[in-house]
Every structure is written in structure tokens, then in C-alpha cells.
Amino acid sequence: MQLNPWGSESIKDYDKLTHEFGMQRMPDLGIDNHYFRRGIIFGHRDFDKFWKDFKAKKPVSILTGIMPSGPMHFGHKMVVDQCVFYQNQGIKTRVLVADVEARTTRGTTKEDAERYALEEYLPNWIALGLDPKKSVIYAQSNYGVPYYSFYSLLSGRTTLNEMQAVYGELSPGKIMSAMVQMGDILHPQLPDYDGPSRVLVPVGADQDPHIRLARDLAEKEHLVKPAATFHRFATGIGGSKMSSSKPNSYISLNDPIEVAVKKALNALTGGCNTAAEQKETGGKIEECVVYELYAYHFMPDDKELTEIYRKCTSGEMLCGECKRILREKVEKFMKAHAAKREKAKKQVEKMGVFR
Ligand code: TRP
Ligand code: SF4
């Protein structure tokens, strides 16, 4: 098994993954957030240490990055929601636009990367609750000199062999973007920024190779090893991974309401061939993308979600009725979100992320 941070494969067996890569299973720390409560964040490295440091009021921060190589979809939303959660706890938050990575590994043009960032990503982050005044938001292509000299020097602390063992097949572009990401994850600990401190990186499970290399480099540089949490991938509308390279797989946060609703209503369900059968056996909820949309995005209230679970698995409710609820939820969310995003666009203009 090899994790490919630049691929778009989906992961089927999260137990096997945690086991093979020596990740830790996320224990129940009683954290009141649906990504934790529902096991959507399934694995971690040193999250327990991070949380302990935070509770003990030691210096901690979080950092994550998103590639502006296509529309921002509900898979990306998961990581932003988590950043908002930490920020609301009072934890210092950094979110970066991985435009160097988009350009070196996906061939995204400078114009497209900036347009996606300024028109889609940043306004959506703010609309989801990220407070730009309390966050460091930067683009990889336009940041501080200590960060640039640091990541180029880090390249001398690893070898091609080590990188191949972690990443598999490499190209100069992938090596570059991996080193930039090392700079992202480790630079908060430089004297020019926060100094030595525990940095938590919330990411999708495919990013673990980067986390492993960053932890190894931290040790060599006598820094605190960064912590990470790993969340499950968002399942695409048709059942494979939600990916910006497959337009039919995702719902974009920028989709017009009717488009988002239409895509949501097309999602794969766990319904049976006939109504009679489903009333008898109940829905196959573990295969149902509609249920995942509720669990990840549209039903943060556990009571409401549990009721869906009960009605589905008992056969009391069929998919048609269930999708009527989904339609309402998606409409309501998209409408409110679009209004917040339009307001946020004005804020983004003043931020000067690329200049
Ligand atoms: N590689 C990440 C992605 O594919 C983006 C990214 C860049 C990132 N730098 C980071 C993620 C630092 C976490 C931390 O989306
Ligand atoms: Fe999915 Fe709802 Fe159908 Fe159950 S009833 S399988 S949750 S769409």
C-alpha cells in the first residue's frame, strides 16, 4: 500500500491504513465537534500531545493548505471547518494557498491559481467562519524570506532515497512542492515566526507522506515534531473520491443553488431495488452518499442524524422521502453561504494575498 498525495484514488479501508502507516487511532477525547464525535477524523499523529499542550496553555498553533487547482468543493470544506473550530478555541491559525504546488504538480496557470484563490477559496473560507483578522493567510508564492531560505535549506537535510521511500515516484515538480510544504509545516517554529511550538496539521489521509517527512526533518532540525489529524475523504456523488479533477464527482461551494441541489439529488444511495425490499431490510446506509452528506455537512445535530439512521435502517423511510429532506438542507445551506461569500469578497480584495 502506498499513499499518493498527488493522486485521486479513494481509500477503502481506514483500519488497514492506520495500521500500515503507524498512524494512531483517534481516541475519544470528548471534543465537541462533529468531525471528532462521528469518527470522521479517524487517525492522528501526536494529536494527544497537541491537545495536552493546548490545555496546558503552552504555545500551539494549527496550519493547513489547500491547492487552488480547481473549484472549491465539499471535500475542501471539511478541512476549513476544522480550522474554524480550532480558531474558535482561541488557537492561532494559519491557512495557506498552495499555488506553487498547483502550478508545479497540476500545471495550473498563474492566472487560474490566483483567480481560484481570490474568487473561490478565500471568500469561501471566510464565509465558512474563518476570521481573516485572527488568521495568517498566505500564498506559497508570496510569503516571507525566512520561509523561503528555510525550505531550500531543508532540501539538504533529506535524500532522494528517503523521499522515494515516502512518496514513491517523484518528479522535480513534486520534489519542489514537497519541500515547499515542509517549509509550510515547519516555518512557524522559526525564531522569525512563533519559535519552537507544537503545530497541528489537519489534513486528508493522503497527506500522511508529507507529515512523515516533516516529522523526520523536525527531528533533524531539533524542532518539535508537528502533529496531524487525518480525516476520511469525502465520497463523490457517484461513490468514488470527491476530486476537483472529476467535475461530476463534486458539489462546489460556488455551484448555483439549483446545480448543487441537482447534484446532491443524484448522489448514490443505499436504497434497494424495490420499495418492498427496502421496507423489509432497511437501506444500506454504509454505502449511502446522501447519509454521508448529512453526517459530514448538513446535520451537525446528532439527534437529527440518529433519527435518519433509525428510519433508514428500519425501512420506515425510503430514499425518496430522505432526498426531500436533503433538498431542503442543501438549499438552505447554499443560500446562506452564497450571501456570506458575496460579503467576504470585499474583504478579500483588501487582503493583498498575491502582492
Ligand atoms: N498538499 C496539500 C494538498 O494537496 C496542500 C498543502 C500545501 C498543505 N502545504 C500544506 C497541506 C501544508 C497541509 C499543510 O492539498
Ligand atoms: Fe440513504 Fe436516506 Fe436512502 Fe437511507 S433512506 S439509503 S440514508 S438515501
Side-chain angles (χ1 to χ4, degrees), residues 338-352:
K340 289 184 220 160
R341 184 181 57 236
E342 288 319 301
K343 262 177 127 182
K345 278 188 179 165
K346 297 196 184 77
Q347 267 174 289
V348 171
E349 280 165 23
K350 293 183 211 128
M351 286 165 63

Side-chain angles (χ1 to χ4, degrees), residues 4-11 73 106 206 233-244 246 249-250:
N4 175 8
W6 295 288
S8 59
E9 304 87 6
S10 68
I11 291 174
H73 57 61
R106 296 257 170 101
D206 63 319
F233 287 144
T235 309
I237 292 309
S240 57
K241 186 186 171 191
M242 189 176 285
S243 162
S244 41
K246 293 180 284 180
S249 74
Y250 61 76

Side-chain angles (χ1 to χ4, degrees), residues 288-307:
C288 179
V289 179
V290 172
Y291 186 72
E292 186 188 292
L293 288 170
Y294 288 146
Y296 289 16
H297 301 290
F298 299 113
M299 278 189 195
D301 176 23
D302 286 351
K303 271 207 216 96
E304 201 182 3
L305 188 71
T306 312
E307 192 53 13

Side-chain angles (χ1 to χ4, degrees), residues 269-271 278 283-285 288 290-291 308 312 317-319 322:
T269 71
Q278 193 161 340
K284 293 187 269 304
I285 204 160
C288 179
V290 172
Y291 186 72
I308 296 278
C312 166
M317 175 177 67
L318 301 183
C319 299
C322 194

Side-chain angles (χ1 to χ4, degrees), residues 63-65 67 96 98 101 140 181 184-185 201 203 207 210:
L63 173 141
T64 196
M67 241 198 281
L96 63 101
E101 180 174 11
Q140 286 176 325
Q181 187 156 343
D184 292 330
I185 296 173
V201 187
V203 276
Q207 296 294 302
H210 293 302

Side-chain angles (χ1 to χ4, degrees), residues 298-334:
F298 299 113
M299 278 189 195
D301 176 23
D302 286 351
K303 271 207 216 96
E304 201 182 3
L305 188 71
T306 312
E307 192 53 13
I308 296 278
Y309 187 92
R310 189 191 62 75
K311 282 188 176 169
C312 166
T313 51
S314 66
E316 190 180 315
M317 175 177 67
L318 301 183
C319 299
E321 186 188 339
C322 194
K323 281 189 167 178
R324 275 196 291 280
I325 304 173
L326 182 68
R327 168 192 283 277
E328 271 170 36
K329 294 278 178 195
V330 174
E331 273 173 359
K332 196 169 164 219
F333 175 89
M334 293 301 283

